[in-house]
Amino acid sequence: MSYTCLISVEDLASRADELGLVIIDCSFSLADPGAGLEEYLAGHIPGAQYLNLEHDLSSLSDGRNGRHPLPDAQMLAATLRRFGLNRDDQVVAYDASGGPFAARAWWLLRWLGHPAVAVLDGGRKAWAEAGQPFEQGEYSEPPIGDFETAEPNQLMTVDAVDVLASIDASDSLILDARTAKRFRGEADPLDPIPGRIPSAVNRFYGDNLAADGRFKSPSILADEFAATLNGTAPADVILQCGSGVTACHNALAMEAAGLRGARLYPGSWSEWIADPDRPRIRG
C-alpha cells in the first residue's frame, strides 16, 4: 500500500523497518533559517534525511521571481537519489511547524512525477507525543537510488500572466494561504509591500489543522473548502501565499478532502509585487 496524501504516526511506525521507505525531515524557520538543521541534528525520526527549504526545496531568488522559487528539477532529483530514493519507494515528509514545509516537499515530489509521497500527520510533535524514538546526528547516506525525473508537471503551476487573467474571470478563484492580517495588508513581516491580489479570497493554511496539530477530517475539510470556493471547481483554483510554500498546505488539505486539480502560483505575493504594474489592493 502506498500513501499519497497523509500518513499517521501509527502507520509510519509500523513500517519504520521496511525497505523502500525514505523519510525526509523538512523542519525550517523563516525567522531563523539555520534552526531546522539544528533541530534535525538534535533529534529526528530514525533514518530521516534533512531537506532545507532554501537550499534544497527552492532555487535562488533574483528579486523578481519570489522569495522561494521552485528548485531546479534535476538538482532536486539528484539530491533525492543521493538520499537513496528509488522509483517505487514510499516517501514520508514531516516538519515541526504544522506541515507547511513538509507539504512543500510533498508537492515537489508530485511535481517530479513521484506520487508515493505523504506528509506525516501531526509531524514531529505527534511522533514525540506517541513516545516514538528519535536519533541524533546526521544519518549516513544509503546507496544511491534510481529515481529520475523527466520534465516536471507544468500543468500543476500557473505564472503571473495566468493569475492576472484570472482576476476578472468568473470561473476562477485565487486562494491565498497567508494570515488574515497579511491578506488584508495590515502587516507583512516578510514582504516589503503589504496587500493582496485583487479578487483573491483567504484560506489561512493553519485553519486546515485541528487543535491537536493534525489535519482536520476529510469531511470537515471538504465542507470548509466548499464554503470558501463557493462553487468554483477545484481545477479552477489558483493557490498562492507569500512565496509558494504555505499554499502547498492548502493543496495537501484539498487533496485530503478529495478536491483535486488546484494549481500553484509558485512566485506568489513576493513575485507579484516585484512588478509595479501588477494590481494590488489592501483592506
Side-chain angles (χ1 to χ4, degrees):
M1 174 184 176
S2 64
Y3 296 82
T4 60
C5 190
L6 295 167
I7 185 171
S8 68
V9 167
E10 295 75 20
D11 286 346
L12 178 57
S14 71
R15 300 187 59 170
D17 296 326
E18 292 183 11
L19 296 175
L21 176 66
V22 175
I23 304 174
I24 299 172
D25 186 323
C26 304
S27 299
F28 190 79
S29 169
L30 293 172
D32 182 1
L37 178 58
E38 292 178 3
E39 189 168 36
Y40 167 82
L41 294 173
H44 54 265
I45 294 176
Q49 306 272 15
Y50 182 70
L51 281 179
N52 181 281
L53 172 64
E54 295 186 341
H55 299 158
D56 302 306
L57 303 179
S58 306
S59 59
L60 292 176
S61 174
D62 62 12
R64 299 187 63 83
N65 58 354
R67 283 184 284 108
H68 296 109
L70 294 183
D72 177 84
Q74 298 303 328
M75 290 182 65
L76 178 56
T79 298
L80 293 167
R81 283 196 300 274
R82 179 165 53 82
F83 283 3
L85 180 62
N86 295 297
R87 295 183 185 92
D88 299 323
D89 286 349
Q90 173 71 58
V91 180
V92 175
Y94 74 94
D95 63 35
S97 308
F101 309 114
R104 169 77 165 208
W106 170 84
W107 187 93
L108 286 170
L109 264 291
R110 293 162 63 91
W111 179 63
L112 295 182
H114 191 83
V117 54
V119 168
L120 178 62
D121 198 10
R124 178 189 176 90
K125 178 175 179 287
W127 185 264
E129 289 177 346
Q132 296 295 336
F134 288 90
E135 64 181 12
Q136 296 179 328
E138 292 191 36
Y139 182 71
S140 58
E141 294 180 359
I144 298 294
D146 64 12
F147 174 70
E148 294 182 359
T149 182
E151 288 297 315
N153 187 354
Q154 303 298 345
L155 297 178
M156 293 174 61
T157 63
V158 299
D159 59 19
V161 174
D162 298 318
V163 175
L164 185 63
S166 74
I167 288 176
D168 296 321
S170 60
D171 59 349
S172 296
L173 185 143
I174 303 169
L175 193 61
D176 190 326
R178 296 176 300 165
T179 64
K181 285 187 175 181
R182 291 181 68 198
F183 176 78
R184 292 192 297 265
E186 294 176 9
D188 197 322
L190 298 171
D191 294 306
I193 300 175
R196 67 178 182 274
I197 299 172
S199 83
V201 299
N202 190 211
R203 167 70 181 188
F204 173 48
Y205 79 91
D207 291 340
N208 298 324
L209 303 177
D212 63 359
R214 292 175 174 82
F215 277 76
K216 295 174 180 176
S217 71
S219 60
I220 290 176
L221 288 172
D223 289 344
E224 292 182 355
F225 273 96
T228 302
L229 302 188
N230 194 29
T232 303
D236 294 322
V237 174
I238 294 173
L239 302 171
Q240 57 99 182
C241 55
S243 64
V245 176
T246 59
C248 296
H249 201 280
N250 277 347
L252 177 60
M254 290 181 68
E255 184 79 14
L259 306 172
R260 300 179 175 88
R263 295 170 294 165
L264 177 70
Y265 173 33
S268 287
W269 180 249
S270 55
E271 178 188 82
W272 187 261
I273 59 175
D275 185 342
D277 291 333
R278 292 179 187 139
R280 49 184 183 260
I281 58 174
R282 296 176 67 177

